[in-house]
Amino acid sequence: MADQPADKKLFENLSGAGKAIGVLTSGGDAQGMNAAVRAVVRMGIYVEAKVYFIYEGYQGMVDGGDNIVEVSWESVSSILQVGGTVIGSARCKEFRTREGRLKAAFNLIQRGITNLCVIGGDGSLTGANLFREEWSGLLEELAQSGKIEEEAVKKYVYLNIVGMVGSIDNDFCGTDMTIGTDSALHRIIEVVDAIMTTAQSHQRTFVLEVMGRHCGYLALVSALACGADWVFIPEYPPEEGWEEQMCVKLSENRARKKRLNIIIVAEGAIDSHNKPITSEKVKDLVVQQLGFDTRVTILGHVQRGGTPSAFDRILASRMGVEAVLALLEATPDTPACVVSLSGNQAVRLPLMECVQMTQEVQKAMDERKFCEAVRLRGRSFENNLNTYKLLSHRRPDAELPKTNFNVAVLNVGAPAAGMNAAVRSAVRVGITEGHNMFAVIDGFEGFARGQIKEISWGDVGGWTGQGGSLLGTKRTLPAKYLEKIADQMRANNINALMVIGGFETCDRIKQSASGTKRRVFIIETMGGYCGYLANMGGLAAGADAAYVFEEQFDIRELQANVEHLTEKMKTSIQRGLVLRNENSNENYTTDFIYQLYSEEGKGVFDCRKNVLGHMQQGGAPSPFDRNFGTKISAKAVQWISKKLKETYRKGKVFANTQDSVCLLGMRRRNLLFQPVVDLKDQADFVHRIPKEQWWLKLRPLMKILAKYKTSYDVSDSGQLEHVARHSPKEAETGAI
């Protein structure tokens, strides 16, 4: 890599020599835990620390012996895509006693382990913090009983703790997402999509019970992602008389020719008097009041199973690396911290601040302060809830404001999963705001030909889970149609236009290679000149190399990669993966790279090539795409409404070009509206990519985890932040 600027903080200045790190998973398992374990092991070894597996969680720490084992680089090969946790997880009553913690301390001291990385829920992390607080006292007690030398007490005087939250419920305050949540949402949405086909065949109502004993995140987001008719969560119980309101809504939907109803119930759902609302109770109510054919499906542990999603693999890998950095930088005065996600940034927060806020949520629910419970869950949770309420219940026409503004929605560029969810959200929020909503068919080309029609609330029912673009989309740019488009805008009196699309992109990669005997897969991904898919797909799949346009490469780098892979294949590692963005280099094509690896790897490994092509754009959208598309679209329409009201005078809209044409997107931790005129300096319009790509900072992670020596800018790391407590107004701005 090129020389780094002097003001950048590089992690190679941090050494783990002489340090020992123990990694354990505790409590309930979650998909992605193995990716976190892998990242901790490889990053720890990379900085020359010793790394130990602690099998079976705290029970293994208490029992010692073969439960605490030093591991090598190869020990975590091929676990990235495996669900659950390969080092086991167990709940340990003995660790809750001082005697049990005394045994655990002795077993750690025997191996010189004074750095612990704990992957688990709030109970596991609270236990780790107590262990840390008692550490010096435990060592003194061990010395007094003659089990360790006084020298050991001085040498190992401090215990450093860093936590990562592994919980499918996303029930830990301080982080946008916990490891395993996205994968659990995938399992839920797969079931919902399958149920929808059978429910439509028979005109059925399905009551789906999902996990979430104390937190309704899974229920709420899956309801948002599938357009459920009703959702029950512990943080926000239904109002008095909900039984009648729900039945009226279900009846109205059937009257509008909707052939199925989906009701999602969190297992911990309660009413406003803190009494349980069970899936069976909901079913009985629907059958008795409406006579609908109603079935209950309880997902149970299916939600914990299966392979982790790409999001969870990347999240866990980033958190694992950040956890090791935090341990290396820890001082005696540093409180135990937890590595969290805020927007697209990895941050460190004091562990006990997060635990305290998590406990405050439960306390608020117990005291029936439900608005407070929702607020404490964080901006993202509150925004999810507000968006669901906005989109799921259509207010009567008499209660809607009437603005007389006409707002049109169209899709442009390549079809991308989540577009239909965004259109549905735009239409319904626009109608709620009092606008007349119009749909443009086939992008700018259709706009020029007058393919525009008014679209109603019911027209977009069931759109959330469908792939592609139901409105139709073309890559045609508006330049040659500007006059005709302007004519159509005048003819239809369009006051505002919402465009979903842009530089061609999509946010999913559907195939990662897992080979048999010593095989290297060469995979070509889409993305135009943007290497996001290749880079992030490589990080998610544990790739050995990912070639992208943004980081130029030459024959020397290709040769070095082949040699590096050849050496790896001479060990117990039997699988290699190389990704190439379709436009990364016009001369070093996928065929060229395939032939080079095939020739140079003769006698060591064989190669296979796969061009993924348009399958990356196909299929149903992921829960993330549905959720993100829905919320970002709702936010865009609300911004349009605000601008229309601000600029409306004497029957006309007077908009200036500076801030009336904006792009909405995620920047670091927040959603920001940015005037399109400002993008001229920030975008490479020839190659249709931003000049600065945030994900390029993650490229070294993939190289480190594939055993390359490289530089890694950790300027954004190292700052311990405090848990933010937001006001209700803040939920409307920024968070997704």
Side-chain angles (χ1 to χ4, degrees):
M1 292 180 70
D3 291 338
Q4 302 288 338
D7 61 342
K8 284 196 175 180
K9 175 183 166 190
L10 301 179
F11 91 98
E12 51 261 44
N13 300 324
L14 302 171
S15 173
K19 292 189 176 183
I21 299 171
V23 58
L24 70 144
T25 52
S26 178
D29 65 308
Q31 306 97 320
M33 280 184 165
N34 287 326
V37 169
R38 170 181 177 268
V40 170
V41 169
R42 292 195 167 178
M43 189 65 174
I45 292 171
Y46 191 88
V47 295
E48 300 176 342
K50 289 184 176 182
V51 185
Y52 291 82
F53 275 169
I54 301 175
Y55 287 100
E56 308 304 335
Y58 288 119
Q59 189 66 57
M61 197 189 297
V62 171
D63 293 343
D66 292 341
N67 289 299
I68 306 176
V69 179
E70 186 176 358
V71 291
S72 67
W73 189 275
E74 289 75 21
S75 300
V76 290
S77 178
S78 299
I79 70 168
L80 186 64
Q81 73 280 9
V82 178
T85 164
V86 296
I87 57 176
S89 178
R91 303 187 190 275
C92 179
K93 289 184 179 178
E94 197 173 356
F95 189 76
R96 296 177 185 176
T97 67
R98 184 173 176 85
E99 185 61 34
R101 293 190 290 275
L102 202 62
K103 291 180 184 177
F106 175 75
N107 290 326
L108 294 184
I109 289 298
Q110 296 304 298
R111 297 158 180 82
I113 299 172
T114 55
N115 297 278
L116 275 185
C117 183
V118 181
I119 308 165
D122 62 329
S124 303
L125 299 179
T126 302
N129 188 67
L130 175 62
F131 190 42
R132 177 180 181 272
E133 290 174 347
E134 291 183 348
W135 180 257
S136 57
L138 293 172
L139 296 199
E140 287 172 7
E141 196 172 326
L142 288 170
Q144 288 168 7
S145 63
K147 290 186 177 179
I148 62 172
E149 301 293 332
E150 282 292 342
E151 190 61 33
V153 177
K154 295 176 184 175
K155 184 177 180 181
Y156 303 120
V157 65
Y158 299 113
L159 177 68
N160 298 314
I161 299 280
V162 173
M164 286 183 275
V165 189
S167 167
I168 68 166
D169 294 339
N170 204 27
D171 56 356
F172 194 80
C173 293
T175 184
D176 289 349
M177 288 286 271
T178 57
I179 296 168
T181 302
D182 187 68
S183 300
L185 284 170
H186 272 74
R187 300 297 92 78
I188 295 169
I189 294 303
E190 285 165 9
V191 171
V192 171
D193 287 350
I195 280 174
M196 280 184 166
T197 56
T198 183
Q200 283 183 330
S201 301
H202 298 278
Q203 280 198 302
R204 282 183 176 143
T205 296
F206 269 86
V207 181
L208 193 72
E209 183 180 304
V210 301
M211 284 187 166
R213 203 164 48 243
H214 303 293
C215 178
Y217 184 88
L218 288 179
L220 178 58
V221 174
S222 54
L224 198 56
C226 73
D229 297 273
W230 206 274
V231 63
F232 295 94
I233 60 174
E235 294 90 345
Y236 193 77
E239 299 173 355
E240 293 281 357
W242 63 268
E243 296 92 341
E244 183 181 347
Q245 292 173 18
M246 184 183 75
C247 289
V248 167
K249 183 176 183 213
L250 296 179
S251 296
E252 288 175 348
N253 285 345
R254 282 291 172 92
R256 287 198 289 264
K257 301 290 192 291
K258 186 175 181 183
R259 293 182 60 83
L260 78 156
N261 303 112
I262 299 287
I263 300 168
I264 296 181
V265 183
E267 62 178 325
I270 53 175
D271 64 16
S272 56
H273 301 289
N274 281 19
K275 292 181 179 176
I277 296 176
T278 66
S279 50
E280 282 296 332
K281 178 180 178 180
V282 174
K283 175 203 165 184
D284 292 343
L285 177 69
V286 175
V287 171
Q288 291 165 11
Q289 297 291 322
L290 301 174
F292 289 174
D293 183 2
T294 306
R295 306 296 167 90
V296 172
T297 298
I298 299 175
L299 291 190
H301 283 75
V302 166
Q303 295 157 89
R304 292 193 188 277
T307 59
S309 66
F311 183 95
D312 273 328
R313 298 185 201 189
I314 294 167
L315 173 67
S317 297
R318 291 180 67 185
M319 285 185 167
V321 168
E322 185 71 22
V324 173
L325 293 175
L327 287 171
L328 293 180
E329 293 177 345
T331 69
D333 299 322
T334 307
C337 76
V338 62
V339 179
S340 301
L341 180 73
S342 179
N344 58 28
Q345 300 290 117
V347 297
R348 302 176 197 171
L349 300 171
L351 190 156
M352 291 314 294
E353 282 188 24
C354 297
V355 169
Q356 182 182 353
M357 188 179 285
T358 303
Q359 292 170 346
E360 284 179 25
V361 176
Q362 187 60 50
K363 183 171 180 285
M365 288 192 287
D366 291 341
E367 295 174 354
R368 295 166 59 188
K369 297 177 180 176
F370 298 111
C371 290
E372 176 73 1
V374 169
R375 186 183 66 79
L376 288 168
R377 279 279 180 233
R379 288 189 305 167
S380 179
F381 186 93
E382 191 168 2
N383 197 15
N384 281 322
L385 181 59
N386 290 338
T387 306
Y388 177 77
K389 289 192 291 185
L390 199 62
L391 299 178
S392 61
H393 303 290
R394 191 187 193 285
R395 289 156 58 192
D397 290 339
E399 294 180 13
L400 292 173
K402 197 62 185 169
T403 66
N404 291 320
F405 291 131
N406 292 344
V407 179
V409 182
L410 77 156
N411 293 337
V412 299
M419 274 185 165
N420 296 320
V423 172
R424 169 184 175 268
S425 178
V427 169
R428 291 195 169 181
V429 173
I431 290 170
T432 303
E433 295 277 327
H435 309 322
N436 303 310
M437 299 302 295
F438 289 82
V440 178
I441 312 301
D442 288 341
F444 288 118
E445 197 173 312
F447 206 172
R449 291 200 299 263
Q451 292 178 255
I452 181 168
K453 63 177 183 179
E454 193 163 358
I455 189 166
S456 70
W457 182 282
D459 290 339
V460 292
W463 281 33
T464 310
Q466 298 197 48
S469 166
L470 293 174
L471 291 184
T473 179
K474 295 194 175 181
R475 293 174 183 265
T476 313
L477 295 174
K480 64 178 181 178
Y481 296 113
L482 284 178
E483 286 189 18
K484 290 182 179 179
I485 290 172
D487 290 342
Q488 290 297 331
M489 291 188 75
R490 279 191 292 270
N492 292 280
N493 193 26
I494 301 299
N495 303 111
L497 193 61
M498 179 169 161
V499 182
I500 301 167
F503 290 162
E504 285 88 69
T505 185
C506 68
D507 187 37
R508 49 189 289 149
I509 180 167
K510 290 184 128 186
Q511 181 169 341
S512 63
S514 62
T516 51
K517 291 293 182 182
R518 291 191 168 81
R519 181 165 291 168
V520 174
F521 286 81
I522 315 293
I523 308 289
E524 181 183 299
T525 67
M526 293 178 76
Y529 288 94
C530 178
Y532 177 87
L533 283 178
N535 187 73
M536 303 306 273
L539 189 55
D544 298 277
Y547 301 115
V548 298
F549 173 79
E550 291 89 345
E551 195 172 275
Q552 291 299 296
F553 55 96
D554 56 23
I555 193 67
R556 289 182 294 276
E557 183 172 344
L558 287 171
Q559 185 63 35
N561 292 156
V562 174
E563 291 171 359
H564 181 267
L565 199 49
T566 303
E567 289 304 310
K568 277 178 69 175
M569 288 293 194
K570 291 177 181 177
T571 67
S572 59
I573 292 174
Q574 298 190 349
R575 192 269 289 164
L577 178 64
V578 175
L579 284 86
R580 176 188 175 274
N581 163 246
E582 59 183 344
N583 290 337
S584 56
N585 189 292
E586 62 181 346
N587 295 315
Y588 301 134
T589 62
T590 302
D591 283 332
F592 177 89
I593 292 173
Y594 165 69
Q595 289 165 4
L596 175 68
Y597 275 76
S598 296
E599 181 63 29
E600 298 297 321
K602 274 183 180 176
V604 181
F605 59 80
D606 64 355
C607 285
R608 294 290 185 273
K609 178 183 69 172
N610 196 334
V611 178
L612 295 183
H614 284 79
M615 68 176 293
Q616 294 158 86
Q617 293 179 336
S622 68
F624 177 88
D625 283 331
R626 300 182 196 196
N627 193 19
F628 188 74
T630 296
K631 290 195 288 185
I632 201 170
S633 184
K635 198 172 184 68
V637 173
Q638 289 169 333
W639 178 86
I640 285 173
S641 297
K642 179 171 173 281
K643 288 294 176 184
L644 285 172
K645 290 170 187 173
E646 287 176 355
T647 57
Y648 184 73
R649 293 188 297 275
K650 296 180 180 179
K652 290 186 178 180
V653 174
F654 294 87
N656 67 69
T657 55
Q658 177 65 31
D659 63 354
S660 64
V661 184
C662 282
L663 173 72
L664 173 58
M666 175 73 76
R667 277 292 183 92
R668 293 174 72 86
R669 303 188 194 182
N670 293 303
L671 280 173
L672 298 176
F673 289 95
Q674 193 165 4
V676 170
V677 291
D678 293 352
L679 300 180
K680 290 180 181 177
D681 298 329
Q682 300 173 19
D684 175 352
F685 281 89
V686 174
H687 299 105
R688 297 188 166 199
I689 55 175
K691 290 179 181 176
E692 289 187 19
Q693 302 269 37
W694 70 269
W695 51 265
L696 282 174
K697 281 192 173 184
L698 301 183
R699 277 186 67 71
L701 285 194
M702 187 190 69
K703 294 180 180 180
I704 289 168
L705 297 178
K707 215 172 184 177
Y708 286 93
K709 286 290 182 185
T710 187
S711 293
Y712 179 34
D713 176 15
V714 293
S715 304
D716 293 333
S717 300
Q719 298 300 316
L720 191 67
E721 303 179 13
H722 290 286
V723 181
R725 291 174 181 264
H726 73 277
S727 65
K729 190 70 179 172
E730 285 181 73
E732 300 171 15
T733 60
I736 260 295

